Amino acid sequence: KAGVTQTPRYLIKTRGQQVTLSCSPISGHRSVSWYQQTPGQGLQFLFEYFSETQRNKGNFPGRFSGRQFSNSRSEMNVSTLELGDSALYLCASSLSTGNTGELFFGEGSRLTVL
Amino acid sequence: TQLLEQSPQFLSIQEGENLTVYCNSSSVFSSLQWYRQEPGEGPVLLVTVVTGGEVKKLKRLTFQFGDARKDSSLHITAAQPGDTGLYLCAGTDSWGKLQFGAGTQVVVTP
């Protein structure tokens, strides 16, 4: 079956702009989690959605937001971009919520902020 | 601050050698997972350990969960170039969040 699909794969923005990233989970998976990956910090948890509800949230400013649609597809948005937001943003889906089961990751969206 | 500390950060070895990477924390985790990430791809789950003292083997890979469920290790025997990748440990904390370590970059040269 198809894996987790993230779009776009690469994008370049300038400071102050906003960006929306999309994630389509594996069919049947209702939980979608988002992570930010940088060389120095590793994977940092952003948030988790299950059945269109945010179930968990990491320690990121309010500029980072997300949502999940009825078909389980998810989007995350970053407003007023800063240089430090340059990172690989990974989406992961799983059957259940609570991040206790296996996470299936997409290939990520690499964001560069100039 | 990383809840899970991985060491070493980088490891370069020759094909056929053995290696061990470590994942340590001051917190107790209900379960711990190991993932491997290759360039341009997302992490892929290798194993989940849930019981203190548990040892799991996956071909040439041996995973151990500490008795107190605060640390884990991954040992690779007779490493091959295909073992090259970023090895990440992840633990489920008391709030149900999956926390990742920064990873150990392993390079195996022929």
Side-chain angles (χ1 to χ4, degrees):
Chain A
K1 58 184 174 182
V4 177
T5 303
Q6 290 189 246
T7 57
R9 288 292 310 278
Y10 303 92
L11 66 166
I12 299 174
K13 293 285 188 178
T14 56
R15 279 180 297 174
Q17 288 187 310
Q18 67 96 25
V19 66
T20 300
L21 308 178
S22 179
C23 172
S24 293
I26 291 174
S27 178
H29 285 193
R30 295 165 63 190
S31 172
V32 173
S33 298
W34 288 90
Y35 290 85
Q36 181 194 67
Q37 185 175 31
T38 57
Q41 295 295 316
L43 270 79
Q44 300 287 317
F45 174 74
L46 281 156
F47 24 66
E48 182 207 358
Y49 287 87
F50 183 83
S51 294
E52 302 178 68
T53 302
Q54 187 179 89
R55 292 303 180 99
N56 242 324
K57 191 176 187 306
N59 297 321
F60 278 82
R63 301 186 295 108
F64 292 81
S65 62
R67 59 178 174 169
Q68 186 180 34
F69 302 96
S70 57
N71 61 358
S72 294
R73 191 177 69 85
S74 177
E75 287 181 349
M76 68 162 282
N77 184 79
V78 188
S79 62
T80 319
L81 284 166
E82 301 177 359
L83 295 178
D85 296 333
S86 294
L88 180 67
Y89 289 88
L90 290 163
C91 164
S93 75
S94 63
L95 279 170
S96 58
T97 186
N99 286 331
T100 55
E102 179 177 1
L103 295 182
F104 295 83
F105 284 88
E107 294 176 320
S109 293
R110 185 165 293 282
L111 170 66
T112 301
V113 182
L114 302 176
Chain B
T1 304
Q2 291 287 344
L3 195 60
L4 285 162
E5 298 291 333
Q6 290 191 242
S7 61
Q9 290 184 332
F10 182 81
L11 196 54
S12 179
I13 61 170
Q14 298 254 318
E15 183 176 2
E17 293 182 335
N18 302 332
L19 68 99
T20 303
V21 298
Y22 300 92
C23 176
N24 295 294
S25 175
S26 57
S27 301
V28 174
F29 291 95
S30 57
S31 66
L32 198 135
Q33 299 176 334
W34 283 93
Y35 288 79
R36 180 171 65 211
Q37 184 178 18
E38 298 183 21
E41 300 182 6
V44 175
L45 181 68
L46 296 173
V47 77
T48 300
V49 285
V50 296
T51 306
E54 182 177 2
V55 177
K56 278 192 174 179
K57 291 192 176 184
L58 186 67
K59 296 183 181 178
R60 295 176 294 100
L61 277 62
T62 302
F63 304 86
Q64 186 162 6
F65 200 13
D67 291 338
R69 291 185 289 132
K70 292 182 178 181
D71 56 271
S72 181
S73 64
L74 157 60
H75 181 79
I76 301 179
T77 304
Q80 299 176 359
D83 295 325
T84 293
L86 180 68
Y87 288 82
L88 296 155
C89 66
T92 301
D93 64 20
S94 54
W95 293 274
K97 295 181 188 177
L98 191 63
Q99 305 281 359
F100 279 83
T104 294
Q105 181 64 51
V106 171
V107 176
V108 182
T109 54

